[in-house]
Amino acid sequence: FLSDAELVALLLRTGGGGLDALAAAARLLDASGGLAGAARAAADDLVAVPGIGPAKRASLGAAFELGRRLAAQRLAAGAPVRSPADVHAHFHPRLRHAAQERFFAVLLDGRHRVIRHALVSQGTLTASLVHPREVFRPALREPAAAVVLVHNHPSGDPTPSQEDREITARLVRAGQLLGVPVLDHVVVAERGYTSLR
């Protein structure tokens, strides 16, 4: 098996700044704190590493995104959602390294199969602003029979905050009024997940 540095060097193809591709890859991984750090690094941070210019940054970004998409193929349209573990398996690779909170609504048909998932809100480093209007707009347009809510905690701790609980209760009430029940709210983080059901 190739090391992380060797795999990154294959993506870079050539070096730069007086470094060969392997040395540039090693420097990038050291500066980012490893492969996971490089995957979540801002574009400006990557190009600050000697030997990594805009084209190499774009190649790395594409490779990381392909990896996330491949890992997140578990809840494709038509797949049944049977448990919070299904939701976690789909969203964990996509959200585990996100620097900001992201809030999704997974739209389900009458047999709890995925129609699609919709990004409802993207927040700051510590909070996501969520309004029932944004959560239920895609659900009503589809039309979905139910939704599962998902958001991440960039801190890595999946423990729901008091605000998470309040938002969930508010969205459950809104879903009851609209006839689109909220089946669960799953908090995804680096260290696992929590179901608010």
Side-chain angles (χ1 to χ4, degrees):
F1 291 108
L2 297 177
S3 69
D4 291 348
E6 289 168 328
L7 289 169
V8 171
L10 287 172
L11 288 170
L12 298 179
R13 294 184 309 277
T14 61
L19 302 172
D20 65 21
L22 187 57
R27 186 170 288 184
L28 169 73
L29 293 174
D30 286 343
S32 304
L35 195 57
R40 68 175 171 259
D44 291 343
D45 293 338
L46 291 179
V47 295
V49 176
I52 309 297
K56 288 181 171 58
R57 180 200 70 215
S59 293
L60 289 168
F64 289 134
E65 181 59 24
L66 283 171
R68 282 189 286 268
R69 289 183 186 186
L70 181 61
Q73 288 298 308
R74 294 175 178 89
L75 280 185
V81 175
R82 292 178 286 269
S83 71
D86 290 343
V87 175
H88 174 258
H90 175 78
F91 282 96
H92 185 252
R94 177 177 301 216
L95 297 176
R96 65 188 288 192
H97 298 304
Q100 295 181 322
E101 235 180 58
R102 294 181 186 160
F103 197 103
F104 290 86
V106 181
L107 312 180
L108 305 175
D109 67 15
R111 296 177 65 189
H112 297 172
R113 294 176 304 195
V114 175
I115 298 170
R116 70 180 180 93
H117 59 268
L119 177 63
V120 172
S121 172
Q122 183 163 307
T124 63
L125 289 173
T126 57
S128 177
L129 304 174
V130 179
H131 192 280
R133 177 178 55 242
E134 279 74 36
V135 171
F136 290 100
R137 180 181 293 132
L140 294 171
R141 195 170 39 231
E142 288 300 333
V147 296
V148 171
L149 309 174
V150 185
H151 84 279
N152 65 306
H153 279 179
S155 67
D157 181 359
T159 305
S161 66
Q162 183 59 35
E163 182 182 49
D164 292 340
R165 294 180 190 285
E166 290 169 3
I167 287 171
T168 302
R170 186 170 152 211
L171 293 173
V172 165
R173 288 192 303 272
Q176 289 168 341
L177 288 171
L178 294 168
V180 183
V182 174
L183 300 182
D184 201 351
H185 182 176
V186 181
V187 180
V188 175
E190 174 64 28
R191 296 193 296 274
Y193 70 94
T194 301
S195 165
L196 280 94
R197 186 175 56 186

